[in-house]
Amino acid sequence: MGSRDEGEPVTKLVWRVKLVTELQAGETMEVEVARIERDEQAGLADLRLRLSEAKQLTSALQAEIVPAQVTIAGEHRCACAVCGRRLASKGYYTATFRSLFGDVPMRIRRLLACPCRNGGLAKSFAAFDLEAATVAPELAYVTARYTALAPFGKVADLLSELLPVSGAPNAGTVRNRTMRVGEAIVQPNVTTMATRLTARPAEPVVVGLDGGYVRSRHRQDERHFEVVAGKVSDARGSQSRFAFARNSPTIASGAFKQALAMAGVTADTPATVLCDGHAGLWRMLREALPNATVVLDWWHAAVRFEHALQAARGLGAVDAHLAAEAVRGLERAKWRLWHGRWPGCRRKLAALCHWARRTSIHGMAGIARLEHHVDELLAYLERNHGALVHYAARRRNGEPISTAFVESAVNEIIAKRMNKKQQMRWNRTTVQPFLDVRTEVLNDTLEDAFRRRYPGCRPANVDGPIALAA
Ligand SMILES: [Zn+2]
């Protein structure tokens, strides 16, 4: 059995982790931040720093570093920036700083404004400016980033599993933090980006629009509401997604213009817009991009042709000759549409409607169904005739004719997280910040938005290992 004798004292292996503070050159101070103990006998499961220990260690470090930083930064504000006079203290206030490595209680000094700066200023101010945000930007970033990819509750579970985030971050906290990121970080970013990008020379872009429905939180008013999602792609192939709730026409129109601005598109940008013929979208398009070439998605038209063709083929069960005649008529109409000959296509379809109506008087089975589909197809094309183009020529020139490239955006933005499988319900008036966060994550621009708002937050290209003492 065991090699160890009965009664032999059990020796512990001990590691003590000390933090050596050197806030001024040569002046050091040590504090023990963790103590790790193990038995001499170790199995595979013992060969490691435990997750709980790592959490304890990082939060102990954070609890030492943050208050020292706040105190020192505050000392620099203790003298008047104008006359140098020492400012009087007006007591302290307490706050909790929430970070990826735990909650840190803070005591922040309030200072009385200097008498030399009379008027215009508040009577007192905090020696350290928390900017009304007690959540560390990096915690907000990580939370929002993963919320775009997984449900709130799952994000809460993951964060509390791996990090010493305290204050029990539950689904509600994660939701609220993400919403604030959308409102306070992403939205102001939209304005900055729009101004920055107008300086860029106008390069042609392709804009694709599509819509999807999400479940409403307020089921007494409506079960679902519509979210419009889209993509802008430029000549160099870079793509930018956007999404907004279809609220009132004015709001949707504003949201659309903003989304375009975000992607660097203004009213003067040469643009081709593809969409599925949704009546409300045309109006929005005309307002935002009055000079754009608008193209009705070929596949939406083709699917309607296919329904009519099926109905026509169905006639074959009764009369093969009539069925063949109807199929031929539809195929000719479709060929004309494909070759940009809308008047000819319309004439063919109108003739087919007329023919079906005449034939239906004879009560032939299936003819009413055909008539219905052809009627619908014709009305659809008439509604969208301004967006009918020479599809064959566009295809030959390698120009887009379908919104297929947008469908992935719709799926990523709406379907993945908001569909009925996940049982998520949204409020049409508050969904926008979440859509904004999600599109920024998918566009890979969320980190930039944080950097713009908090200079120094997650600096680019310096994520190497921390400098280690020799
Ligand atoms: Zn002064």
Side-chain angles (χ1 to χ4, degrees):
M1 290 290 287
S3 60
R4 195 184 281 266
D5 291 336
E6 285 290 323
E8 186 189 323
V10 180
T11 330
K12 288 269 184 195
L13 306 176
V14 176
W15 290 267
R16 290 160 63 198
V17 183
K18 280 187 175 178
L19 177 69
V20 182
T21 306
E22 187 176 353
L23 301 177
Q24 274 172 1
E27 281 180 34
T28 59
M29 204 175 71
E30 285 184 14
V31 56
E32 186 169 313
V33 286
R35 184 187 170 89
I36 296 151
E37 289 186 7
R38 291 289 187 279
D39 289 340
E40 278 186 327
Q41 291 277 2
L44 188 57
D46 306 307
L47 291 184
R48 65 192 167 114
L49 186 62
R50 291 174 192 139
L51 184 52
S52 60
E53 288 164 343
K55 285 158 101 173
Q56 231 167 27
L57 182 62
T58 48
S59 61
L61 286 172
Q62 187 87 307
E64 289 293 328
I65 294 169
V66 172
Q69 282 184 291
V70 170
T71 306
I72 292 165
E75 276 165 13
H76 289 290
R77 301 190 67 182
C78 279
C80 172
V82 178
C83 70
R85 194 187 323 221
R86 191 147 183 92
L87 301 175
S89 176
K90 199 181 172 264
Y92 290 85
Y93 80 95
T94 55
T96 304
F97 178 68
R98 301 188 193 283
S99 76
L100 280 168
F101 305 108
D103 286 0
V104 184
M106 299 211 289
R107 207 162 158 263
I108 297 165
R109 201 207 298 253
R110 286 203 76 85
L111 298 163
L112 281 172
C114 184
C116 85
R117 314 186 75 181
N118 46 353
L121 280 168
K123 286 205 176 81
S124 69
F125 63 96
F128 187 89
D129 191 4
L130 277 176
E131 302 180 30
T134 50
V135 175
E138 196 166 36
L139 173 57
Y141 169 78
V142 170
T143 307
R145 176 172 161 76
Y146 289 98
T147 299
L149 309 168
F152 300 136
K154 293 259 189 291
V155 174
D157 288 350
L158 180 75
L159 291 182
S160 31
E161 169 101 40
L162 296 179
L163 295 162
V165 282
S166 42
N170 50 35
T173 321
V174 168
R175 181 186 181 276
N176 294 340
R177 278 183 194 159
T178 305
M179 189 157 137
R180 275 199 296 273
V181 167
E183 290 165 346
I185 313 291
V186 179
Q187 276 295 320
N189 190 41
V190 173
T191 326
T192 327
M193 291 281 279
T195 349
R196 200 165 59 91
L197 288 163
T198 41
R200 214 171 67 173
E203 289 174 35
V205 294
V206 176
V207 182
L209 284 173
D210 206 343
Y213 285 86
V214 299
R215 284 155 75 88
S216 174
R217 265 186 129 177
H218 302 293
R219 309 201 71 199
Q220 66 278 20
D221 303 330
E222 54 183 4
R223 291 175 71 84
H224 299 93
F225 64 90
E226 195 185 5
V227 169
V228 176
K231 246 185 202 179
V232 178
S233 66
D234 65 19
R236 287 161 300 172
S238 81
Q239 298 195 327
S240 165
R241 301 157 188 82
F242 60 83
F244 51 88
R246 258 312 272 292
N247 290 328
S248 79
T250 337
I251 296 173
S253 198
F256 182 48
K257 279 181 197 162
Q258 203 179 42
L260 289 173
M262 187 82 168
V265 179
T266 66
D268 307 320
T269 311
T272 303
V273 184
L274 287 126
C275 87
D276 68 358
H278 202 305
L281 296 182
W282 291 135
R283 195 184 136 175
M284 235 167 51
L285 276 175
R286 288 272 161 253
E287 279 181 32
L289 296 167
N291 308 316
T293 306
V294 184
V295 177
L296 180 71
D297 172 72
W298 170 255
W299 300 109
H300 276 84
V303 160
R304 284 174 159 84
F305 266 106
E306 199 42 49
H307 289 155
L309 278 162
Q310 271 167 19
R313 288 184 202 111
L315 296 176
V318 186
D319 187 326
H321 176 72
L322 279 184
E325 202 176 330
V327 167
R328 204 161 43 239
L330 279 165
E331 276 171 351
R332 282 182 180 158
K334 191 179 173 189
W335 187 89
R336 281 172 190 170
L337 186 68
W338 176 248
H339 287 91
R341 289 156 62 178
W342 160 239
C345 167
R346 176 166 48 195
R347 260 199 316 279
K348 269 277 159 216
L349 290 176
L352 203 57
C353 276
H354 197 70
W355 171 85
R357 226 164 276 139
R358 248 188 310 130
T359 316
S360 72
I361 295 168
H362 306 300
M364 187 182 160
I367 198 89
R369 192 166 154 256
L370 174 68
E371 191 193 337
H372 166 76
H373 281 297
V374 177
D375 254 351
E376 220 172 44
L377 170 63
L378 184 57
Y380 176 74
L381 295 175
E382 273 172 346
R383 269 201 308 278
N384 297 297
H385 77 270
L388 299 174
V389 295
H390 197 312
Y391 292 98
R394 285 188 67 86
R395 187 30 115 38
R396 266 199 307 279
N397 297 336
E399 293 164 335
I401 54 169
S402 103
T403 53
F405 78 106
V406 190
E407 265 156 44
S408 61
V410 177
N411 289 334
E412 287 165 330
I413 298 164
I414 305 170
K416 237 188 219 162
R417 288 286 326 284
M418 301 190 182
N419 68 4
K420 56 183 167 212
K421 251 191 206 157
Q422 307 253 8
Q423 298 292 325
M424 294 280 280
R425 296 220 176 102
W426 299 87
N427 177 342
R428 64 157 72 228
T429 55
T430 56
V431 75
Q432 196 58 46
F434 297 102
L435 292 174
D436 289 340
V437 168
R438 191 161 305 169
T439 48
E440 291 270 296
V441 169
L442 293 167
N443 289 338
D444 208 10
T445 50
L446 184 66
E447 209 171 20
D448 292 335
F450 267 87
R451 283 190 201 120
R452 222 162 270 130
R453 174 69 180 77
Y454 301 105
C457 176
R458 300 181 64 84
N461 306 323
V462 292
D463 262 355
I466 52 169
L468 291 174

